Each structure stands twice: as structure tokens, then as C-alpha cells.
Amino acid sequence: MCGIVGYIGPRSAPPIILNGLKRLEYRGYDSAGVATIAEGEISVRRDVGKLKNLQALVGTNPLGGNIGIGHTRWATHGAPSERNAHPHLGSTGEVVIVQNGIVENFLELKEDLIAEGVEFKSDTDTEVIVHLIEKHYATGIPFVEAVRQTLQHLRGANAVVAMSTREPDKIVAARMGNAGGVVIGIGDQEMFLASDMPAILEHTRHVTFMEAGWMTVIDSNGYEITDFEGQPVEYKSQKISWDPVAAEKGEYKHFMQKEIHEQVRAITDTIGTRIDWKTGKVTLPELNLTPELANKINRIVITACGTAANAGMVGKVYLEKLARVPVEVSIASEFRYSDPIVDDKTVVMAISQSGETADTLAAMVEGRNRGATLWSIVNAVGSEAMRIADGCIPMHTGPEIGVASTKAFTAPLVDQYLLAMALADLRGLLSPKDQLAMANELAQLPTKIGTLLDREADVEKIARAIKDIDHCLYLGRGVNMPIAYEGALKLKEISYIHAEAYPAGEMKHGPIALLDEEMPVIAIATQDQWYEKMISQLEQAKARGAPVIAVATDGDQRVADLADHVMWVPDSSWLISPILTVIPMQILSYHVALLRGCDVDQPRNLAKSVTVE
Ligand code: M6R
């Protein structure tokens, strides 16, 4: 999704902006640009493709200036091209802007502007904004007022950042709706703007997150925030403790590989301070969970997208099994328009790595409007999904940069397990003995994940064996059924292999027709209550000539005899098993994609944060 960076201060703006854009690459983009003001003029450089193209352009055609804005674009309106890349300059050459999000009514605005004689240079929705600002600015009002008046015309959700040669000592930014965050970075006699923290972390950790409906004017000495009516708003700045080194690849080839390996630490941190190891009691301080609330809840709706929704499907099993609360998992893009049946005894719980996924945020708002208690499980610190919830479980995984989510899948599994334990305890459903036993099993999780990571080379061999397949079928049952879905999603998004997932019992109702030598079956067949049934599915697949790759419990000879390849996992209780079985799935997808020469961290057509509908 688009990324924005802005700078004003004593230093040269272009390198700061380009470095900031580099740190936002994880969001996905197809073109990039930067604009600065120097000697009373705006200069713009833009290019399609990777940021290195823009860097090369700026290298051969340098930019000056101590004030500037930059953008990575993920095309929504108009093909990826230089002319559609941001920043967009107005007709007078005095105003330049970038946008993250969408102007829904751009066509009617564009028609009106064309009728007034404005010439458009791009196919974007964004360009209407710069022309409208210019139009208002021409009436002689201050720049900030021109931006403010422009916002009154726009429908949609976006973040807009603008600057002008007539007031070259300030940058104006506005956030309309939930199309993505804007963070203001406060430096020493210098200020920054960005879509996300990694862009500015190397310069400052002192930040203010802008809410929807706010505008800011920054100059090198500080900033002011108002609403769209120009009224001052109450806001807080805060210190962020992320280490910029954590946003680097370090010893790994790709962020995805690094993040797979970070799961030992992520899960350790997730369990960390939340368990009293003497009693096994769980505390989730940011959730504001009271005994009254725990006993009042009669339904939980988990809402999320993609990998986060798959995590929610595992959470459903945990919460229903342990806390005996009925749980529904509702894909956020469906939930938001489903006229959902929700009341004040319902908890709507969002799961989101970025905390800025447009569908998930809209689903949360829908839940809130209908009286539900709003919870979220979120990774990105300070994000919208964290801030608007009544209670939150922060993921504690650190920034996830690879587009394919890995550690932000396993962390919410553990978070939901902890939540189920806490709720069960408060609802009088968990004996002290069971609580302690469960805590003890959680304590062993990081070591077991470490064991799985040590087996990466074994999984890589399997990746070599299947790297040329065109299709495959993932099967799982019970608590591992969502792992089949997650395994298939991981493989398809980074290797572009067609992968379908089914609850294994459904195979006989249709997908079995697909099976032959060309259609491998990847199945989770760990030793749990569904084991015999999974064995029978594997036998049926073998009988049709399909190669079988199984995820199995260490030492299981029956599966070893049946399957062509086995990815072994340490023994665990059935509830904990998905936190382990998913890891070989992630490693397999990573190596298949690598062997096929795919761009693992930035797969085609995908964005890390999907901040538009
Ligand atoms: O940031 P979120 O967790 O809300 O993102 C949800 C999905 O867009 C995301 O999980 C997506 O499916 C990933 N590419 C999966 O690897």
C-alpha cells in the first residue's frame, strides 16, 4: 500500500526521504517519487518499479532542498507509470501533493475541474486534490486553509500531504478516514511525517499519531494539529521503543526468513510477562477484562483478513473449547456489510498485523456502532486497530516487514490461547491444576519452535522435490484445519503455485476428483483425535497416485510409511499443535518460492498493509 514520507529541517531532504521510503518498501508499491522545494521552486522526480530506479534518477538528476515529500505508490486509479506516480504537481507549479488512499468522488470532481479549464496530466484520483488546493489557494487564503477547504469536497478515506512554494516553510498533512496512518516525528529543530514508524525511526522516536479527521501543519520547529474545521484538538506525543536494527534483515536473505526465525523470540515475548509461572494464571493488562465482562459475554465474533483470519479460526477452537463461548469467524470485508447481529453481550475481536487494514477497521466500527465490546489483537504499535478498541492484546512480535505474514500468525495463536485461559479462569471453567499444566506446556513452546527451525534443511529438501508443481491440495482437520488454509495461502502468495485448502473430510465431496500424479496433497496428520481419519485421507490420496507430503508427530512410523515426504513436528497437546505445524508450512513455502526465483518479500500484486477496500 502507498507509503508517505515528509521532512522539513536543516538537513538535505532527499536522502532522508529516500531512506524513509526504503523502510516503507514492505508495504508494496509499483512506482515511487519525491518532490522538494529549493530556491523557490518545486522539483519532482518519479519513476516506475523499484525504489532503486528513483534513487538512480535522483543520482543523475539531483534534488536540493531542506523540505520535501516522497511517496511509494500502489496503483488503484491509473496504471503503474511515471505519469501516475506521486508527487503530483498542480498547473501553476506552486503546489505539490502525495496521497495514500482513494478519493471516491474523483470522477465528478475531475469533470467539474475540466469544465473549468483544468488540464490533467495523470489518470489518478489524486490529481483532483492538487488542482482543488490550487483553486482555493488562488483566492488569497493561507495554504492550510486551501487544503482545509479542499478536504470538504473529498469523499473517501485517505492521507494527504502537501506543500507550496508560496509558503515554503511548512508541510500540511491531513488524515481522512482509515486509509492508513500518519505519524508525526518530532526531531531537534526538524520534523518528519510518515505512513508508518520504520520510515522515521532512525531519526526520532518521539512521535504523535494522527487520528482520522485531523490536520497538521509542521515546520522545522514543531507542529499544530486541528480538526477539519480548524479547531484545535487534544493530542498526545509519545516515545516509541522499537530498535531500528530490528527492522533490518540482519543475517538472513529475506525478511520472511528472518521473521520465521524470530518466532522463538516472538513467542517467548508473547508469553513473557503474561503468565504467573507459579500458578499458571494469565494476565492481559491492556485488555481491560473484568470478571463481570467475562461472565456477560455470550458470543465472540472474530473479524480479520487473510492470515489474520486463519489465526482467528484457530482462536475459535481455543475459545470454544476452553472458555465455552460461542465464536464465529467473520471475514472483515463480509462482516462490515452483513447487517450483523451483534449486541452489548457480543465481543467483536479484530486480529491484524498492521492494525490499519481498511476492511478490518470498518468491521470494528460496525461492531462498535451495534453496541459490541471491541477487542483487538494487533502488532503495529499505535495503529488504529489498537487505539479504537476497548481492549487490546499487543502481539509483541516487533515489526513484520515481509509481505507474507509469519510471526504475526503464530503470535495471535498464543495470544488467543492466553485469552481463552484467562476467560476460562474468570468463568470458573479452569481448575488450578489444568491452568498450571497449560502454562507449563506454553513454557516449552519456544524450545519446540527452535527445534523446528533447526530442521529447515530437511524441509528445504522437500521444497526441492516439489518446486515445479503447478497445483496442490492442503488438507487438515479440527484445530489444524486452519493450518491447511494458512499453508495454502503462504504457498500461493509467494510462489504463485495454485494451492487449495480443504477440511480433510470434504475431500470426498469434490476435490478428490483433482487427484492424480500431478496433484500433491500436503496434509497435517499429527497424533490427535483426528489422526485415524487423516490417515484414511492419506491412503485415499495415495490410491489415486497423488504424491503425499505429511506433517507428522516425531517418530510416527505409520505416516512415514504412507507419505512420500514427512515434515516432522515435536509432540504436543492437540490444542498447541497448530502453533508448531504451521512452521514447516512457512519454511516450505519460503524455500519453494526461493527456488522458483520469486520475490519472496514483495510478491507481485500484494501489499503488506491493505488500507483500501
Ligand atoms: O495487517 P493485517 O493482519 O490486517 O493483514 C491482513 C492480510 O492482508 C494479511 O494477513 C495477508 O493475507 C498476508 N499477505 C498474508 O501473508
Side-chain angles (χ1 to χ4, degrees):
M1 204 54 42
C2 305
I4 290 175
V5 182
Y7 174 78
I8 184 164
R11 293 192 274 166
S12 170
I16 293 172
I17 292 168
L18 289 169
N19 278 339
L21 292 178
K22 182 97 199 122
R23 306 244 182 257
L24 296 181
E25 277 196 303
Y26 71 91
R27 297 163 73 90
Y29 65 101
D30 46 54
S31 54
V34 58
T36 59
I37 303 178
E39 294 169 357
E41 273 192 18
I42 294 171
S43 303
V44 180
R45 304 283 182 272
R46 307 184 299 202
D47 211 339
V48 277
K50 294 288 175 192
L51 204 58
K52 61 178 189 304
N53 301 347
L54 177 66
Q55 284 164 327
L57 183 67
V58 174
T60 53
N61 200 353
L63 285 169
N66 309 105
I67 171 172
I69 55 180
H71 189 267
T72 44
R73 174 173 187 255
W74 193 67
T76 54
H77 298 65
S81 65
E82 190 277 330
R83 70 194 285 268
N84 289 332
H86 303 208
H88 289 284
L89 198 57
S91 313
T92 61
E94 290 180 341
V95 178
V96 68
I97 71 151
V98 293
Q99 185 205 197
N100 175 13
I102 287 176
V103 181
E104 284 175 6
N105 57 335
F106 88 100
L107 267 181
E108 56 197 77
L109 295 171
K110 189 170 177 174
E111 275 165 21
D112 291 347
L113 286 162
I114 289 172
E116 290 166 22
V118 174
E119 273 182 34
F120 277 74
K121 290 170 284 200
S122 77
D123 311 308
T124 63
D125 55 331
T126 304
E127 200 184 335
V128 299
I129 305 175
V130 70
H131 293 304
L132 283 170
I133 295 175
E134 275 189 339
K135 183 175 152 182
H136 290 294
Y137 205 17
T139 64
I141 57 177
F143 187 53
V144 60
E145 283 311 316
V147 176
R148 200 188 311 282
Q149 291 192 14
T150 298
L151 296 172
Q152 317 299 332
H153 301 273
L154 309 183
R155 257 199 344 259
N158 60 16
V160 177
V161 181
M163 54 184 196
S164 167
T165 49
R166 273 159 55 194
E167 294 179 63
D169 57 350
K170 63 184 63 133
I171 301 177
V172 178
R175 181 173 176 195
M176 209 170 140
N178 289 323
V182 179
V183 56
I184 303 168
I186 305 149
D188 184 15
Q189 313 262 289
E190 59 182 357
M191 295 289 296
F192 307 82
L193 284 169
S195 303
D196 199 359
M197 284 301 306
I200 56 173
L201 263 181
E202 66 182 284
H203 307 293
T204 182
R205 290 163 189 223
H206 190 188
V207 299
T208 297
F209 293 99
M210 279 181 63
E211 303 277 346
W214 288 6
M215 287 183 70
T216 185
V217 182
I218 65 167
D219 61 30
S220 47
N221 294 316
Y223 64 112
E224 260 179 32
I225 300 183
T226 57
D227 62 19
F228 288 1
E229 260 65 59
Q231 299 304 312
V233 298
E234 268 190 32
Y235 59 87
K236 276 195 305 232
S237 65
Q238 54 187 283
K239 288 260 160 57
I240 298 292
S241 61
W242 279 355
D243 178 353
V245 181
E248 301 293 341
K249 262 180 255 183
E251 69 200 90
Y252 298 99
K253 259 191 172 157
H254 297 97
F255 282 114
M256 181 182 178
Q257 189 188 28
K258 175 172 178 267
E259 285 153 10
I260 289 172
H261 282 262
E262 280 173 349
Q263 288 177 108
V264 175
R265 187 200 49 76
I267 298 307
T268 308
D269 290 357
T270 300
I271 301 165
T273 52
R274 290 160 172 175
I275 294 184
D276 176 338
W277 296 110
K278 282 204 196 98
T279 60
K281 263 198 186 306
V282 172
T283 319
L284 299 166
E286 298 91 344
L287 196 64
N288 307 318
L289 181 60
T290 59
E292 294 70 41
L293 181 59
N295 286 294
K296 180 175 126 178
I297 298 167
N298 65 10
R299 187 163 155 259
I300 297 176
V301 179
I302 298 176
T303 189
C305 308
T307 284
N310 293 338
M313 288 203 280
V314 178
K316 171 182 162 75
V317 179
Y318 291 168
L319 289 159
E320 290 190 338
K321 181 73 194 165
L322 298 173
R324 307 304 293 160
V325 189
V327 178
E328 182 190 331
V329 181
S330 186
I331 296 294
S333 52
E334 291 298 318
F335 180 78
R336 62 185 290 190
Y337 296 118
S338 65
D339 191 8
I341 302 167
V342 162
D343 61 23
D344 67 344
K345 293 196 176 104
T346 311
V347 168
V348 169
M349 183 168 83
I351 305 177
S352 178
Q353 187 292 126
S354 62
E356 57 173 26
T357 300
D359 286 324
T360 306
L361 293 176
M364 290 177 80
V365 171
E366 190 62 35
R368 148 107 357 114
N369 291 344
R370 287 170 190 253
T373 299
L374 216 51
W375 288 348
S376 63
I377 301 179
V378 181
N379 192 32
V381 179
S383 61
E384 189 82 353
M386 197 173 262
R387 283 180 285 129
I388 65 174
D390 300 309
C392 180
I393 308 180
M395 279 190 206
H396 292 320
T397 70
E400 189 181 67
I401 308 293
V403 164
S405 196
T406 50
K407 59 181 180 173
F409 177 77
T410 43
L413 298 197
V414 177
D415 288 322
Q416 290 174 102
Y417 193 78
L418 294 172
L419 172 62
M421 284 175 72
L423 270 176
D425 184 24
L426 290 169
R427 289 162 74 94
L429 298 170
L430 199 56
S431 71
K433 188 167 157 253
D434 285 348
Q435 192 158 258
L436 197 55
M438 290 169 80
N440 284 338
E441 188 177 23
L442 279 175
Q444 295 163 27
L445 243 185
T447 309
K448 290 183 180 174
I449 294 173
T451 304
L452 286 166
L453 297 174
D454 290 344
R455 296 174 180 171
E456 180 166 357
D458 301 335
V459 178
E460 189 195 351
K461 278 189 203 135
I462 302 174
R464 285 186 186 281
I466 65 163
K467 72 177 172 49
D468 295 319
I469 61 173
D470 293 321
H471 311 273
C472 66
L473 183 65
Y474 280 74
L475 299 175
R477 283 197 86 143
V479 75
N480 273 302
M481 188 261 285
I483 302 307
Y485 280 87
E486 179 57 11
L489 176 60
K490 221 77 306 165
L491 188 73
K492 76 180 101 178
E493 69 179 333
I494 60 170
S495 73
Y496 318 139
I497 292 170
H498 170 220
E500 286 200 49
Y502 270 89
E506 276 289 289
M507 189 168 81
K508 58 188 173 291
H509 298 290
I512 198 165
L514 295 168
L515 297 189
D516 62 16
E517 298 71 20
E518 306 295 318
M519 184 78 168
V521 168
I522 303 180
I524 303 128
T526 42
Q527 287 170 347
D528 52 29
Q529 57 268 54
W530 298 280
Y531 176 69
E532 291 299 337
K533 310 225 178 273
M534 285 306 302
I535 292 281
S536 147
Q537 301 295 332
L538 298 190
E539 276 164 350
Q540 290 181 43
K542 280 302 302 172
R544 272 122 193 126
V548 169
I549 297 132
V551 177
T553 309
D554 279 349
D556 186 333
Q557 198 49 48
R558 248 177 112 186
V559 175
D561 291 344
L562 250 175
D564 297 86
H565 305 280
V566 183
M567 300 190 281
W568 297 108
V569 293
D571 192 19
S572 72
S573 70
W574 68 272
L575 279 174
I576 288 292
S577 70
I579 309 168
L580 300 171
T581 54
V582 74
I583 289 179
M585 296 289 199
Q586 296 170 344
I587 299 173
L588 183 72
S589 303
Y590 170 74
H591 282 289
V592 170
L594 201 61
L595 290 162
R596 289 166 74 99
C598 300
D599 187 345
V600 173
D601 281 335
Q602 289 170 36
R604 68 186 182 200
N605 305 337
L606 286 177
K608 183 66 180 166
S609 310
V610 185
T611 56
V612 289
E613 248 196 291

